Amino acid sequence: MKPAKLDGFKTYTQAVKEGKYDLYVGNLFGKYDNVRTYWEDQLTRIVLRPYLWEIVENCRSQDQGVRIVDLGCGAGQGYDILTKIDRRDLDLGLQHKRVLPPEELSLFLGLDISQAMVEKGQTLFETHPYVQFQQADLSQGLGNIKQTESPFDLYFSSYGSLSHLARKDLVKLLGDICHHGRDGSYIVMDLIGRYSIEWPDFWYAQSEEEKVRQYNMGYLYSDEVRQTADIESFPIRFWTGEEVRELAQEITDQVGVQLEVARLVDRSLLVGRHTDTKSFNPKLQPIRRSINSLHEDYLRTNLDELMLDASIFPDHPFITPLLHELINSWNILIEFTQHRLSHNFSLPDLKGWDEFPKPLQFALMTIDRVIADVGWMWYGDPRANIIEPQLGYALRTLEYEMQRGWGCGHGLIAVLKVKK
């Protein structure tokens, strides 16, 4: 029996060394925080659903599997985004039915400049024979896959990967895709938006040099580490929606293949990664961590910390009015929720209801109904576990339905279609 006890002791010792018993902090910060999971990934899926569905249906009609290349794939996180898109919004009686079940893929090819990322992806997906990874420098275009691979149905990127490319290099990559892709292939570019509240000093950039700025991933580290460590920075090209349209027209004229802008969507207008770090705008409040709190089990959020100040942003002819309308709607929803939580049986006086944006009206009705329906519950902290997550989703919907695809979010999703 003694050896068994010793083995058990060694197992626990090793688990402690590996951090398995570190304090649990939930998904309140880091790369895969709650905003990433419940806002950003989900909104990306909502945006891509109709286009991915079109691709899948076309491949089925030709009795072919779907071919996808992930540009700047990291360790393959894009696979999870694309294979977990529901065919429709789920009502209470439905089970998940995915747009792209993994068995309908014939190839998911990840390309990344980092060999370490390629090797990590190969390890994570070693049991998926149709998922492959290659090292590739996208600044050189598609490289040898132009000769070795058949056209892809979807040329996909996620979370700013193509913002690492200089404009001239992105022009080359898109030109290669237009030549390589088939008629009807889609391109998804996930870029960093220039008009984000995180960096208002970038809004008026004119020259190409001014549109490329030093960026960092300080949000991966704690406040203490950011204050004491030298966080690595690297150049990123910041984009607007209008510049994406100009880019598509330039490619069309240059290569003779029509590149149509199917959709532009801003993501994370008020809750971008650097609202918490304040690395580029020290006037911001750490709103993302408050939103993360809304989605954390058994954790009540101080709703006062969700109120936003619309006066801290510079004047811009069309960006500032959009942000003011969104922030005003956001604050009205927060104040309404606070009132309903404190006065279960009375409604606040909502002056100007008829002039409220439709997304705000719907959000207010939703939160009112949620609070009314669960206010009687005593088990499981309904405020923390039901009301606050629904408030988070309502705020997410405000952002999504009031955005314009102008480059006002941390992320700018551009869906392009190749027409030959």
Side-chain angles (χ1 to χ4, degrees):
M1 296 297 293
K2 288 184 179 179
K5 289 182 180 179
L6 183 59
D7 288 344
F9 175 77
K10 286 183 177 179
T11 298
Y12 281 110
T13 300
Q14 184 63 30
V16 171
K17 287 182 179 179
E18 293 176 358
K20 300 295 190 297
Y21 285 82
D22 289 353
L23 290 176
Y24 177 73
V25 296
N27 294 316
L28 297 176
F29 58 85
K31 185 174 179 64
Y32 298 104
D33 63 358
N34 286 324
V35 172
R36 164 73 182 258
T37 301
Y38 298 116
W39 287 44
E40 294 167 339
D41 282 356
Q42 292 301 325
L43 287 178
T44 299
R45 291 183 177 111
I46 290 170
V47 172
L48 297 185
R49 178 163 56 189
Y51 309 106
L52 188 59
W53 180 250
E54 179 184 328
I55 289 170
V56 171
E57 286 290 277
N58 182 65
C59 288
R60 283 177 183 163
S61 68
Q62 300 180 43
D63 198 24
Q64 298 175 352
V66 178
R67 292 174 52 83
I68 297 174
V69 60
D70 189 345
L71 306 166
C73 62
Q77 290 79 11
Y79 175 91
D80 185 67
I81 292 175
L82 293 171
T83 58
K84 292 184 178 179
I85 301 177
D86 287 308
R87 294 185 184 180
R88 52 172 290 187
D89 294 337
L90 300 179
D91 63 27
L92 296 180
L94 291 175
Q95 298 297 322
H96 291 293
K97 201 167 186 180
R98 308 299 192 188
V99 171
L100 177 61
E103 60 269 18
E104 297 207 34
L105 275 168
S106 65
L107 177 62
F108 183 95
L109 175 61
L111 303 179
D112 201 277
I113 194 171
S114 168
Q115 184 60 31
M117 285 292 188
V118 168
E119 293 172 1
K120 182 65 174 178
Q122 290 170 336
T123 299
L124 292 174
F125 291 89
E126 61 183 352
T127 60
H128 298 66
Y130 49 84
V131 179
Q132 302 174 17
F133 294 87
Q134 292 182 24
Q135 193 277 335
D137 182 357
L138 295 177
S139 68
Q140 304 303 309
L142 287 178
N144 63 2
I145 74 166
K146 290 184 293 185
Q147 289 76 42
T148 60
E149 293 290 345
S150 301
F152 292 95
D153 303 294
L154 177 62
Y155 298 79
F156 174 77
S157 73
S158 61
Y159 291 105
S161 57
L162 296 187
S163 269
H164 288 276
L165 298 180
R167 190 184 189 282
K168 64 179 180 60
D169 296 330
L170 186 55
V171 167
K172 176 175 177 55
L173 176 64
L174 292 176
D176 280 358
I177 292 173
C178 284
H179 286 303
H180 184 260
R182 61 170 179 78
D183 179 38
S185 290
Y186 277 100
I187 305 168
V188 173
M189 299 196 301
D190 198 331
L191 306 165
I192 304 294
R194 192 165 85 236
Y195 293 135
S196 170
I197 64 173
E198 298 158 275
W199 33 75
D201 288 348
F202 299 0
W203 289 5
Y204 283 96
Q206 297 294 322
S207 67
E208 187 59 31
E209 291 74 17
E210 292 176 320
K211 296 171 185 177
V212 178
R213 303 289 184 109
Q214 289 297 308
Y215 183 81
N216 67 68
M217 297 174 69
Y219 53 82
L220 297 179
Y221 306 94
S222 67
D223 293 341
E224 293 75 18
V225 171
R226 286 199 301 271
Q227 292 170 6
T228 59
D230 184 17
I231 306 297
E232 180 185 6
S233 63
F234 44 86
I236 284 286
R237 210 293 189 173
F238 294 79
W239 288 86
T240 70
E242 184 59 32
E243 287 176 327
V244 171
R245 294 187 185 279
E246 293 170 355
L247 179 68
Q249 186 60 53
E250 178 180 334
I251 301 297
T252 298
D253 296 340
Q254 189 177 95
V255 303
V257 174
Q258 184 180 356
L259 191 57
E260 175 187 85
V261 179
R263 194 165 184 202
L264 294 169
V265 174
D266 290 324
R267 187 189 56 225
S268 296
L269 283 77
L270 303 179
V271 297
R273 290 287 191 177
H274 284 290
T275 55
D276 283 0
T277 69
K278 306 181 185 180
S279 296
F280 304 92
N281 184 3
K283 295 181 179 180
L284 293 175
Q285 62 196 77
I287 194 70
R288 188 173 178 118
R289 67 184 60 178
S290 296
I291 296 296
N292 281 329
S293 174
L294 287 179
H295 293 281
E296 196 68 18
D297 293 342
Y298 292 99
L299 182 62
R300 292 195 174 194
T301 306
N302 181 353
L303 300 186
D304 286 335
E305 295 177 353
L306 286 168
M307 297 293 290
L308 294 169
D309 181 1
S311 68
I312 66 172
F313 311 117
D315 189 34
H316 189 283
F318 60 90
I319 301 302
T320 303
L322 170 64
L323 288 175
H324 281 185
E325 182 181 35
L326 174 57
I327 290 173
N328 183 56
S329 296
W330 176 291
N331 288 343
I332 289 172
L333 180 56
I334 299 299
E335 290 176 335
F336 176 85
T337 304
Q338 289 175 308
H339 179 95
R340 289 292 282 113
L341 289 172
S342 301
H343 307 82
N344 286 343
F345 301 105
S346 70
L347 291 173
D349 182 16
L350 293 173
K351 296 180 180 179
W353 171 271
D354 291 340
E355 284 72 45
F356 287 173
K358 294 298 182 183
L360 174 59
Q361 292 179 345
F362 186 79
L364 290 166
M365 291 187 290
T366 299
I367 293 301
D368 176 62
R369 183 65 179 268
V370 168
I371 294 175
D373 286 351
V374 306
W376 60 271
M377 294 182 180
W378 290 97
Y379 302 129
D381 195 348
R383 170 175 167 170
N385 297 330
I386 300 175
I387 296 171
E388 288 195 6
Q390 291 303 314
L391 174 60
Y393 295 131
L395 292 170
R396 183 190 77 180
T397 302
L398 276 184
E399 276 206 336
Y400 175 64
E401 295 192 357
M402 296 180 71
Q403 60 80 32
R404 297 291 184 270
W406 292 343
C408 299
H410 183 99
L412 173 61
I413 303 173
V415 182
L416 312 177
K417 189 174 186 178
V418 177
K419 291 190 171 183
K420 293 186 173 180

